[in-house]
Amino acid sequence: MTSTTDPSGWTHESAPLVGYLSRKALPIKRNDAEPLTREDVQYDLLDYIFSDTKAVFTSQAPDISSKVTFRDLYVNALYHSSKCSKVLKDKMVETPAFAVELAKISLLTNVGRINTTMAFFPEMKTALRTYHPVPSMQKTDGNAQDAPRIKNCLKAALLPSELKSMPPTTPEEILEKSRARELPPTSIVNLIFVLANHAAPLAATHFDPPLNFLDLFLPINIASADRARAFLWLVFHYLEGPDQPNPYDDDYSRQNPSKVPWLRRLTDAELAEENVDTPEEIEWGRAMSAQRNVFLQRLVNSLENEKKAKNVAMLSSQRVPEHSSHRSRTSRQSQDGSREKPYIHYMPPQRSAATSHHTERSTGNMRGPQRTMLQHAWHVVTSTDPLVDSDEELMDEYVRTDYNQRISVIARLRGRMPTPPPESAPPNNTSDTREHRWRTVQSWK
């Protein structure tokens, strides 16, 4: 680190190239459930800003006409925002310490140090944001909201006159109003938005290279008290007017118009003494991280159980239609198979002479069947195929005996034999023809 001396006697130390380099490097980057330490949020800087007791700012609240401190100015801006809920307003009134804690987190959101992906309550379920306990700024029992809600509240924190027209969007517009004694020229929240958006072009106007407005909120080797004084100097410069005596001036800013008060560089030992977390804050941060992890595990388990139950319900609803469709398809196939089975013309088998002689002999022998009619009926049911042509039954001597017994029963019931009497088969014919059988059946009428 090199140092130079200007004609006024001030020693200039070239600041190391640390801190703000681009808007992408500005937001705090931490994993889910990881606490934000005092160094992350620059707690000492915020404490100096909100503990300042100089009541030098024009009140922007409609019911306050006296000058107010920066703390009252910023807290009232949040309280009168149209996006501030009634529950939040009641909590701010009941617990002023909570209002200051909310204002500190809101100021970090105002400059872009906390982006809209952060939340500050452990029961947050959405995957679009990450939870981070802030032990140094969550010492009251209050809901610190999440960054998107805080950002919406900030955007709606406008003056009554700005609700009807566009608020100033450049530093020059704000200075023009303040020089014309249109006080306040804009809301404190809108002023910080404008300064953050124009940090690069304003760097040469108010800071020595390579610093700019956003570097005041980064962990760099500049004293927190000096950075807080420079911030309050800029707020007074734009809200009250550059031609008014600035209560935050020092010798350096008086000798260098439009320059912020001198920013003293710290040694490594001095830097290590700032923004030190207390043991209670460290323990509380670990406890909240563990609570967050338990909540996430329960959430994941409940989502997996719901998914499994949904899959089981879907499978059970699909099984019934598949089973019924399978049965109908099987029955259709069996019906189609039986319907499409080709018709086979019956060809009577050729009988040998020995078989024909045995059949004729067994037919004429009616002295005593070996089976009763009941036994033969049971045999037919259990051993024959109903789809087979009945002509093949003539090969069984018991079938012939059964037919003769049936004819005898019918004859006894009618009181006479069938007319005309059945023709006897020709002696030289060795097989019963289909024509002879049909003549026999027609004679039963």
Side-chain angles (χ1 to χ4, degrees):
M1 182 182 298
T2 60
S3 62
T4 59
T5 303
D6 65 359
S8 62
W10 286 92
T11 302
H12 293 269
E13 295 177 347
S14 59
L17 293 177
V18 296
Y20 175 76
L21 296 177
S22 67
R23 291 306 298 266
K24 291 183 179 180
L26 179 63
I28 301 173
K29 300 293 185 180
R30 291 292 180 270
N31 295 324
D32 187 83
E34 189 174 353
L36 300 185
T37 64
R38 288 196 176 201
E39 183 181 5
D40 293 331
V41 300
Q42 290 296 288
Y43 176 82
D44 289 354
L45 166 70
L46 299 176
D47 186 59
Y48 282 121
I49 291 175
F50 283 92
S51 62
D52 180 69
T53 58
K54 294 183 177 67
V56 295
F57 299 100
T58 302
S59 175
Q60 299 178 358
D63 53 346
I64 302 176
S65 58
S66 59
K67 297 290 185 177
V68 296
T69 63
F70 177 84
R71 177 189 60 206
D72 295 338
L73 181 69
Y74 201 84
V75 171
N76 285 330
L78 296 177
Y79 182 84
H80 290 93
S81 173
S82 59
K83 295 295 184 180
C84 184
S85 64
K86 184 179 183 301
V87 176
L88 193 58
K89 289 182 178 180
D90 294 342
K91 186 64 178 178
M92 293 172 69
V93 173
E94 294 172 2
T95 311
F98 167 75
V100 175
E101 290 179 351
L102 178 63
K104 291 178 180 179
I105 295 178
S106 299
L107 180 57
L108 294 178
T109 307
N110 207 164
V111 299
R113 185 70 172 139
I114 290 179
N115 59 20
T116 55
T117 63
M118 290 187 174
F120 307 106
F121 51 95
E123 294 80 11
M124 187 265 306
K125 295 183 179 180
T126 178
L128 301 178
R129 288 185 277 279
T130 55
Y131 164 72
H132 304 280
V134 190
S136 60
M137 294 190 292
Q138 285 184 303
K139 296 185 178 181
T140 59
D141 186 15
N143 186 355
Q145 305 293 307
D146 55 10
R149 287 185 176 88
I150 295 175
K151 190 72 172 288
N152 291 335
C153 183
L154 292 172
K155 289 182 177 180
L158 301 174
L159 298 177
S161 59
E162 294 174 341
L163 298 175
K164 300 178 181 179
S165 61
M166 180 70 67
T169 57
T170 63
E172 291 75 16
E173 293 178 12
I174 298 175
L175 287 177
E176 182 180 355
K177 285 189 173 185
S178 62
R179 287 191 179 101
R181 307 312 296 164
E182 297 179 15
L183 303 181
T186 187
S187 69
I188 176 60
V189 173
N190 185 59
L191 170 65
I192 296 174
F193 275 134
V194 172
L195 293 178
N197 292 333
H198 294 80
L202 290 177
T205 303
H206 300 301
F207 295 91
D208 294 328
L211 298 178
N212 63 32
F213 172 74
L214 295 175
D215 283 311
L216 299 178
F217 297 89
L218 294 176
I220 58 177
N221 61 335
I222 297 178
S224 297
D226 293 345
R227 285 183 284 148
R229 185 173 184 173
F231 171 78
L232 294 172
W233 186 94
L234 287 170
V235 172
F236 186 92
H237 180 80
Y238 282 92
L239 287 184
E240 303 299 326
D243 52 351
Q244 299 297 313
N246 197 318
Y248 300 98
D249 268 330
D250 64 356
D251 293 341
Y252 179 78
S253 60
R254 293 188 189 99
Q255 297 176 7
N256 297 273
S258 299
K259 293 292 185 180
V260 298
W262 177 246
L263 299 175
R264 182 175 61 92
R265 274 60 171 178
L266 300 178
T267 63
D268 293 341
E270 292 173 331
L271 184 63
E273 294 178 357
E274 292 194 344
N275 301 304
V276 179
D277 298 291
T278 64
E280 294 78 10
E281 292 173 356
I282 296 175
E283 184 64 26
W284 187 84
R286 291 174 179 172
M288 296 305 295
S289 297
Q291 180 179 341
R292 171 64 173 175
N293 293 331
V294 171
F295 173 79
L296 289 178
Q297 188 61 42
R298 291 178 179 174
L299 181 63
V300 170
N301 292 339
S302 63
L303 293 177
E304 290 180 353
N305 293 335
E306 291 178 2
K307 186 176 181 181
K308 290 179 182 179
K310 186 177 180 181
N311 292 337
V312 171
M314 292 178 61
L315 291 176
S316 61
S317 62
Q318 292 175 357
R319 284 173 183 169
V320 174
E322 290 180 357
H323 183 63
S324 59
S325 62
H326 176 71
R327 288 190 302 175
S328 60
R329 185 165 57 249
T330 304
S331 60
R332 282 199 307 271
Q333 290 177 355
S334 61
Q335 294 174 0
D336 295 343
S338 61
R339 189 185 308 115
E340 295 176 0
K341 185 176 180 180
Y343 177 76
I344 301 177
H345 293 277
Y346 174 72
M347 298 296 294
Q350 297 294 331
R351 300 178 183 176
S352 61
T355 305
S356 175
H357 177 71
H358 173 74
T359 302
E360 291 177 358
R361 185 176 57 185
S362 62
T363 303
N365 187 11
M366 301 291 297
R367 286 176 295 181
Q370 298 181 2
R371 299 174 184 167
T372 63
M373 294 183 66
L374 180 61
Q375 292 174 342
H376 182 71
W378 176 254
H379 172 75
V380 171
V381 170
T382 56
S383 61
T384 60
D385 187 357
L387 297 180
V388 177
D389 199 310
S390 60
D391 287 346
E392 295 185 2
E393 296 176 355
L394 297 177
M395 298 179 64
D396 190 349
E397 61 180 358
Y398 295 103
V399 175
R400 285 296 187 101
T401 303
D402 182 61
Y403 282 160
N404 291 332
Q405 289 177 345
R406 293 183 183 185
I407 293 175
S408 299
V409 171
I410 294 174
R412 288 197 299 272
L413 292 176
R414 297 182 63 196
R416 56 190 176 87
M417 293 298 292
T419 56
E423 298 179 0
S424 57
N428 295 329
N429 189 10
T430 60
S431 63
D432 292 333
T433 62
R434 186 183 296 268
E435 181 180 0
H436 173 71
R437 288 196 62 205
W438 276 109
R439 285 202 302 268
T440 303
V441 172
Q442 290 176 355
S443 64
W444 294 349
K445 297 180 180 179

